[in-house]
């Protein structure tokens, strides 16, 4: 957080951000995401799903995993999917090593902010040679709050040597929720692994 505080949001003279002004973020005050969000039903996320295509789906509402809306049909040999809190219990050494090896926060202040408030997210590990037949879909839903809130989810994905997978990230704002979603996707690929990675953003259209 000290790194973010000293550097602030990217300025217009930054090459990576010259066409994406960050002033609206600087002018807004954001609160922490609520401990409990409004309960959603399966019908609320129907338009976010891939139709009749079979998928393994994890749903997060305001940064927090919602097991009732998620759909992991059956355990797949060689595939591990955990929320961050569960990964801290079952695979803490690997998780800490992966996070410490990621140095992008030194070059990007949004990543630094994500790292400073890292709490929610998902860890996906695919062992050597494992090929997923169905896509993995991660749905992150932002709901409207009395005060705009900030969320900093992290997606940590590792594919072992020769592994293959398709990952679809879906970011959706209900009722044009004007929140600050500062996500970061961290990917490591083993030798000869193959990843098809897609991202669909349908969040707020208003400042």
């Amino acid at each position: 957080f000290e790194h973010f505080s000293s550097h602030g949001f990217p300025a217009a003279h930054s090459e990576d951000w010259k066409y994406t002004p960050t002033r609206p973020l600087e002018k807004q005050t954001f609160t922490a995401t609520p401990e409990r969000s409004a309960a959603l039903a399966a019908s609320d996320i129907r338009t976010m799903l891939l139709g009749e295509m079979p998928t393994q789906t994890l749903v997060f509402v305001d940064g927090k995993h919602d097991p009732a809306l998620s759909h992991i049909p059956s355990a797949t040999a060689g595939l591990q999917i955990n929320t961050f809190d569960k990964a801290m219990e079952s695979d803490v050494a690997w998780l800490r090593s992966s996070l410490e090896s990621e140095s992008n926060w030194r070059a990007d202040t949004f990543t630094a902010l994500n790292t400073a408030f890292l709490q929610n997210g998902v860890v996906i590990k695919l062992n050597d040679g494992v090929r997923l037949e169905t896509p993995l879909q991660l749905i992150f839903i932002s709901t409207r709050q009395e005060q705009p809130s900030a969320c900093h989810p992290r997606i940590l994905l590792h594919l072992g040597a020769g592994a293959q997978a398709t990952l679809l990230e879906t970011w959706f704002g209900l009722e044009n929720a004007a929140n600050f979603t500062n996500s970061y996707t961290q990917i490591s690929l083993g030798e000869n692994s193959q990843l098809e990675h897609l991202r669909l953003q349908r969040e707020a259209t208003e400042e």
Side-chain angles (χ1 to χ4, degrees):
F1 189 74
E2 291 181 2
H3 180 84
F4 174 80
S5 298
S6 61
H7 291 78
F9 288 110
H13 58 74
S14 172
E15 183 64 26
D16 292 338
W17 293 91
K18 62 189 301 182
Y19 301 114
T20 308
T22 60
R23 286 290 297 168
L25 290 175
E26 298 178 48
K27 294 186 294 183
Q28 183 63 265
T29 298
F30 296 98
T31 63
T33 53
E35 288 298 321
R36 291 188 177 183
S37 301
L40 301 181
S43 58
D44 294 320
I45 69 167
R46 188 169 294 124
T47 59
M48 309 175 203
L49 302 175
L50 298 179
E52 299 300 320
M53 180 182 294
T55 59
Q56 301 188 73
T57 306
L58 266 74
V59 179
F60 295 79
V61 180
D62 294 322
K64 299 175 181 62
H65 179 227
D66 191 323
L69 296 177
S70 301
H71 178 63
I72 304 296
S74 59
T76 300
L79 171 65
Q80 302 173 49
I81 304 177
N82 284 307
T83 56
F84 256 81
D85 55 347
K86 290 185 177 179
M88 286 297 293
E89 297 173 0
S90 62
D91 207 2
V92 63
W94 181 87
L95 180 59
R96 180 177 290 115
S97 175
S98 298
L99 294 175
E100 290 177 350
S101 67
E102 178 56 62
S103 59
N104 192 52
W105 64 269
R106 301 181 186 278
D108 180 72
T109 53
F110 282 108
T111 305
L113 191 62
N114 177 282
T115 302
F117 289 97
L118 182 58
Q119 183 177 10
N120 300 311
V122 60
V123 178
I124 304 170
K125 295 172 64 177
L126 199 59
N127 292 349
D128 295 352
V130 177
R131 300 183 179 185
L132 291 187
E133 300 297 330
T134 58
L136 286 170
Q137 184 179 18
L138 306 178
I139 299 177
F140 291 83
I141 302 171
S142 177
T143 65
R144 180 176 287 277
Q145 310 293 329
E146 291 185 5
Q147 296 292 331
S149 62
C151 181
H152 307 273
R154 174 77 61 102
I155 299 172
L156 180 52
L157 172 67
H158 171 74
L159 266 60
Q164 295 183 16
T166 297
L167 175 68
L168 170 62
E169 299 177 29
T170 302
W171 302 86
F172 199 94
L174 293 181
E175 300 178 325
N176 207 35
N179 299 325
F180 174 30
T181 303
N182 179 37
S183 65
Y184 183 64
T185 301
Q186 179 180 338
I187 298 174
S188 62
L189 301 175
E191 184 176 2
N192 295 322
S193 61
Q194 297 181 34
L195 173 66
E196 184 176 8
H197 183 204
L198 305 97
R199 181 181 289 119
L200 175 63
Q201 292 181 266
R202 300 170 62 185
E203 296 189 282
T205 56
E206 299 178 358
E207 294 184 359

